[in-house]
Amino acid sequence: MQSYTIVVTFLPLLSVIGCKANCNIKIGEQITGEQLLHNITISKGPLDVEQIIEMELDYRVSPLQNEEISYVQLVGTGPGCSAIISNSVDRKKQLLGTVSSTTQLREFSVKLSVYGFLRINGK
């Protein structure tokens, strides 16, 4: 069972990634042989009034399956989004940050497609 939590965190070392044309952000590099590990959708809304919507990300790989992240694609429902991703964690094991809409919306959702490897005996 994959676990992820939505938490409020102060992030000391950050990467800011933004996309104005549409909400499609890529983190990491695609590598030959990687596979889709998980698809996760998070959402917020519908809200009473339009506003900039922020959602906290704290995705961790499964230690039981010895997973390693190589690439993550975030696709959101908004016309644009931005992400602040922490550099203070091992990105092969965790994705920690915040994703936000760049325009005011009543609801916002983001699909995370996590790619990587299942390591056997640490290889």
Side-chain angles (χ1 to χ4, degrees), residues 29-76:
E29 296 181 26
Q30 289 188 287
I31 300 171
T32 303
E34 71 187 5
Q35 60 184 319
L36 178 63
L37 299 175
H38 301 281
N39 275 320
I40 301 166
T41 300
I42 59 173
S43 60
K44 189 172 185 179
L47 305 172
D48 291 334
V49 296
E50 289 187 341
Q51 57 189 277
I52 300 295
I53 299 174
E54 290 186 354
M55 294 184 286
E56 301 296 322
L57 307 173
D58 186 359
Y59 171 85
R60 298 166 196 238
V61 298
S62 170
L64 298 175
Q65 296 180 11
N66 206 15
E67 296 174 339
E68 184 176 290
I69 300 170
S70 60
Y71 173 77
V72 178
Q73 184 169 12
L74 297 141
V75 178

Side-chain angles (χ1 to χ4, degrees), residues 82-118:
S82 65
I84 300 172
I85 305 299
S86 174
N87 290 325
S88 65
V89 296
D90 181 356
R91 285 210 191 152
K92 292 180 179 181
K93 299 292 181 188
Q94 183 178 10
L95 177 68
L96 180 65
T98 304
V99 64
S100 358
S101 64
T102 55
T103 59
Q104 294 189 357
L105 303 170
R106 290 193 60 229
E107 54 188 316
F108 183 54
S109 65
V110 175
K111 177 182 174 186
L112 284 83
S113 297
V114 181
Y115 295 84
F117 301 93
L118 297 174

